[in-house]
Amino acid sequence: MTIDEMTTVAATPGGTAGYTVEELARKVGMSARNIRAHQARRLLPPPVRRGRVALYDDSHVRRLDAILALQRQGFNLVSIEAMLGARSGDEVPDRLTAMLQRLATDRPALAHALTRHGVIGRSADGTVRTVRPRPLRAALELHRVRMGTVPALQTLSEVLDSLRPVADELVAAVTARMLALAPEVAHGGSRSSWSDLDRETLMLTQGVVGLLTEAFRLAVENQAEAHVAELLENHLDTGLCLEDSSVIDNG
């Protein structure tokens, strides 16, 4: 980028002066690469183009400030996508929506935990909504074994807490191994811009997620039947009595 392009100031549609990506990075204390990555994830709206120069405005500053504030509170990007409305949830039955709203009121710590893991989120009007329907529905399907809604969601939250450090290690190890086995992945010759790099990073991320998801599913399926049967038998031997509880229709 030339000096003229770096110092270009143009009016955005909102009437405020524009910032180049480097100026925006300095203003909010974030790297230009992270700003582009947030754009690729659709956490940040695209800039306005003025010829060859991409210009950001104060709405981008506010958005990045909000992202940084949430990250300082410990939220990951998936959860931030949910809270800022970048990731849309599936259509869910009214009873499930009402149940999530009650959960946020009656069990705020549990609702917060599920939000932190990106399972649920809040819309701009404060309505609790589904962000990741598959784990939510898997937990609620436990009503088939006479497990109530709150215990099922508590179990989901605790499983996610337990898996988080394991996932960190696995993602790092598997990605490093993939790059070692296929160095061309790390040295792709078709990249001509930061956008290309961001796109390839997202594609690699999706590939790692898909591989680990299916591998973990297979490993659990291979081990679950015998272990679950054994544990259930041991509990029944102690005279444990299962109590029925309310069931929520999750669609």
Side-chain angles (χ1 to χ4, degrees):
M1 181 174 291
T2 67
I3 297 296
D4 288 341
E5 289 173 336
M6 285 287 293
T7 56
T8 296
V9 177
T12 62
T16 57
Y19 309 97
T20 64
V21 67
E22 290 83 3
E23 291 167 340
L24 180 63
R26 288 194 296 270
K27 186 173 183 66
V28 300
M30 179 184 295
S31 71
R33 181 176 181 180
N34 279 347
I35 291 174
R36 294 186 180 99
H38 290 327
Q39 282 179 222
R41 295 183 71 105
R42 293 186 295 180
L43 267 172
L44 189 70
V48 174
R49 290 282 175 182
R50 292 288 184 267
R52 295 174 56 196
V53 183
L55 292 175
Y56 300 81
D57 60 26
D58 287 336
S59 68
H60 295 94
V61 174
R62 292 191 294 272
R63 185 74 162 194
L64 291 172
D65 283 343
I67 293 170
L68 287 170
L70 289 168
Q71 286 180 315
R72 285 192 290 269
Q73 295 175 48
F75 292 100
N76 60 30
L77 289 178
V78 171
S79 300
I80 292 172
E81 286 176 343
M83 287 181 280
L84 296 183
R87 183 188 294 272
S88 60
D90 284 4
E91 292 294 328
V92 296
D94 290 342
R95 291 190 65 194
L96 180 55
T97 300
M99 183 275 290
L100 292 175
Q101 203 68 48
R102 290 197 305 273
L103 183 75
T105 300
D106 300 339
R107 303 289 182 115
L110 178 54
H112 175 80
L114 294 174
T115 301
R116 179 165 50 86
H117 286 297
V119 177
I120 63 176
R122 286 185 181 274
S123 301
D125 61 1
T127 303
V128 180
R129 61 189 177 90
T130 305
V131 178
R132 295 292 184 88
R134 289 173 65 179
L136 181 63
R137 286 176 174 149
L140 295 177
E141 280 297 312
L142 292 172
H143 74 78
R144 297 180 185 274
V145 294
R146 300 166 63 88
M147 193 169 196
T149 299
V150 170
L153 295 178
Q154 184 66 42
T155 300
L156 172 61
S157 173
E158 291 174 5
V159 167
L160 290 169
D161 286 339
S162 298
L163 287 177
R164 193 168 186 170
V166 177
D168 284 343
E169 294 180 9
L170 276 175
V171 168
V174 170
T175 303
R177 184 60 177 158
M178 289 170 64
L179 295 177
L181 290 172
E184 61 272 17
V185 174
H187 303 94
S190 61
R191 298 175 194 141
S192 59
S193 67
W194 282 108
S195 295
D196 289 338
L197 178 59
D198 291 334
R199 183 167 54 254
E200 288 190 24
T201 300
L202 286 174
M203 291 174 62
L204 179 58
T205 300
Q206 292 167 355
V208 171
V209 169
L211 177 66
L212 285 175
T213 298
E214 294 308 317
F216 186 73
R217 178 191 296 274
L218 178 59
V220 171
E221 288 174 349
N222 288 341
Q223 301 299 322
E225 185 174 351
H227 288 296
V228 170
E230 181 180 353
L231 287 170
L232 181 57
E233 183 178 349
N234 290 339
H235 276 279
L236 290 176
D237 286 344
T238 66
L240 179 66
C241 179
L242 298 175
E243 296 182 358
D244 201 359
S245 53
S246 61
V247 172
I248 296 294
D249 177 13
N250 62 48

